[in-house]
Amino acid sequence: MFVFVCAGCGARLTTPLSQVALPAHAHQKYGNGIQLPVLMESGTFAVDPEPWGPPWRTWEDIDPDEAAARGIYASVYALSDGEPGAIVIAPGDTRGTLLIPEKGGGYCCGLDGGDGPNMACEACGRPVASRIDDCSLWQAVWLAPGAVRRLPVDGADTAPLSWAELTAEGKRTPPFEPIATWGSEVGVNHWWSWSPRWEAAAGRALAHLVAASEGRPVTVPDGLIAEVFQRALDALLPAGPPARRAVLAGPGRPAPDADAEILLVPTHPQTGETWIPAGPAASAYQVPLPFGVWLWLACPEPYLPLPASGGMPDGVLRDDPPAPRPSRLFRADPGAFQHTLVRLPAVRSPWLRDTLENLTHHMRARLF
């Protein structure tokens, strides 16, 4: 575990935190006027290895060789020239900081960090972080990498959980959840929707699936996996050639069939490492899914619990009906799809370039 301190004066800026993987939805923008919750669990932090935030340069100002050196192989609207290694934490885990009033970029419903760091060290006034809490953005505090230092906490080291321990712990991410607009009262102007976490995870996974397809159709198992991926795969991939088969694989599941060329596998929530099968299946293309999403697909709960208050008397069991299903078909997050696909070397293929160039059309067709 670590605490973060001001690089200028050494004042403590956070509670003790343990490192976890950067969430797939860390930079997601969801809907319009939507109230999203806190990005990080309390007591955790994650590091973004890529630059993010101002200043930005448009694609026309970037040499393609420079972009390729940064691992970006197709055009994007703009690239950040910020410092890589920003640290994201829950807002409630900050200590000894103050908002900088003149750095209040955003203000549709909150702060968006568009003007650069908007939080300062209370002790010395050095800008150290950006608070994000505007509508349609995940609430978070991003510590500026050059403005803070990481100090270990004595006697607090814990080893990451094993795959077996993670599976036994059973922390699933439900595919549906209630969505509310910013500032709405409880019970007013909210609805059941596909989870934004699932849409971001699917956007990232879909980019890997189309890259792994090699220009052929791809099939996925029936059920929820097909509901999430198959419609988009059928629309994005050419028809005709023999299909490649993608299957769910991971800890505690039977070994994949020999003819499975693509595996949907979990990523470790603490380390970010992708689960790798043993034997011949290790050569299959591994498509990463956040562990909570993967675990729901592998071992779904029979129904989603509805929000409730108060307790139940001893000996009385709940008998709630299933949660309402969303009224629309599933759509992967287009930002996560584009962000992932431009960073895969396969995007250099002409047909994948066409997929990117037609992304707006696919969004209008409600594939995304």
Side-chain angles (χ1 to χ4, degrees):
M1 297 187 75
F2 302 89
V3 295
F4 290 89
V5 300
C6 175
C9 68
R12 183 168 167 171
L13 301 177
T14 72
T15 60
L17 305 171
S18 58
Q19 186 167 2
V20 297
L22 185 71
H25 52 283
H27 296 297
Q28 182 184 32
K29 181 175 175 60
Y30 188 81
N32 182 26
I34 302 300
Q35 182 178 2
L36 291 176
V38 173
L39 174 66
M40 302 298 295
E41 289 188 16
S42 180
T44 68
F45 75 95
V47 178
D48 189 345
E50 294 193 24
W52 191 264
W56 298 87
R57 277 189 294 159
T58 61
W59 184 255
E60 290 74 17
D61 297 328
I62 300 168
D63 184 273
D65 291 336
E66 177 192 351
R70 292 175 59 171
I72 298 168
Y73 306 104
S75 64
V76 294
Y77 176 73
L79 282 180
S80 170
D81 274 345
E83 188 175 356
I87 302 105
V88 62
I89 67 174
D93 287 336
T94 58
R95 298 291 186 270
T97 58
L98 298 170
L99 286 172
I100 306 173
E102 59 271 22
K103 291 288 188 177
Y107 283 131
C108 175
C109 298
L111 303 169
D112 68 4
D115 292 339
N118 56 27
M119 299 178 70
C121 171
E122 186 177 16
C124 69
R126 179 189 181 98
V128 292
S130 294
R131 170 69 186 263
I132 309 293
D133 57 15
D134 207 353
C135 59
S136 299
L137 301 175
W138 290 87
Q139 299 179 52
V141 167
W142 290 84
L143 301 173
V148 299
R149 291 187 292 112
R150 181 194 309 190
L151 300 180
V153 176
D154 292 338
D157 290 337
T158 55
L161 296 177
S162 67
W163 289 110
E165 290 170 330
L166 285 170
T167 304
E169 193 177 52
K171 284 190 177 180
R172 300 170 177 85
T173 302
F176 318 128
E177 62 182 79
I179 300 292
T181 54
W182 189 262
S184 65
E185 297 179 1
V186 175
V188 177
N189 202 19
H190 77 279
W191 62 94
W192 279 89
S193 172
W194 291 100
S195 166
R197 297 172 177 86
W198 272 66
E199 295 187 8
R204 183 179 70 176
L206 184 61
H208 282 279
L209 284 168
V210 297
S213 72
E214 299 179 356
R216 294 159 52 187
V218 170
T219 62
V220 298
D222 292 335
L224 183 57
I225 301 178
E227 193 172 359
V228 169
F229 293 114
Q230 197 64 66
R231 186 171 68 100
L233 289 170
D234 292 344
L236 295 175
L237 298 176
R244 306 194 82 194
R245 194 163 69 93
V247 300
L248 196 68
R253 292 186 61 81
D257 296 337
D259 62 342
E261 301 169 281
I262 305 170
L263 306 180
L264 296 159
V265 298
T267 57
H268 197 288
Q270 294 169 301
T271 66
E273 296 177 355
T274 301
W275 181 86
I276 299 175
S283 61
Y285 191 110
Q286 285 126 36
V287 175
L289 287 171
F291 185 81
V293 171
W294 178 88
L295 189 59
W296 187 282
L297 291 171
C299 308
E301 292 185 4
Y303 62 87
L304 296 176
L306 291 171
S309 61
M312 298 292 292
D314 292 341
V316 177
L317 301 177
R318 296 194 65 91
D319 188 22
D320 292 324
R325 283 183 60 88
S327 59
R328 62 172 175 84
L329 297 175
F330 183 87
R331 298 198 293 265
D333 185 271
F337 175 80
Q338 181 190 43
H339 178 88
T340 303
L341 190 56
V342 300
R343 287 162 173 79
L344 299 177
V347 78
R348 293 176 169 138
S349 303
W351 71 273
L352 273 180
R353 290 292 182 100
D354 291 341
T355 297
L356 275 178
E357 292 172 1
N358 292 322
L359 185 57
T360 300
H361 168 75
H362 294 315
M363 292 170 64
R364 289 172 180 163
R366 299 187 180 277
L367 285 178
F368 294 94

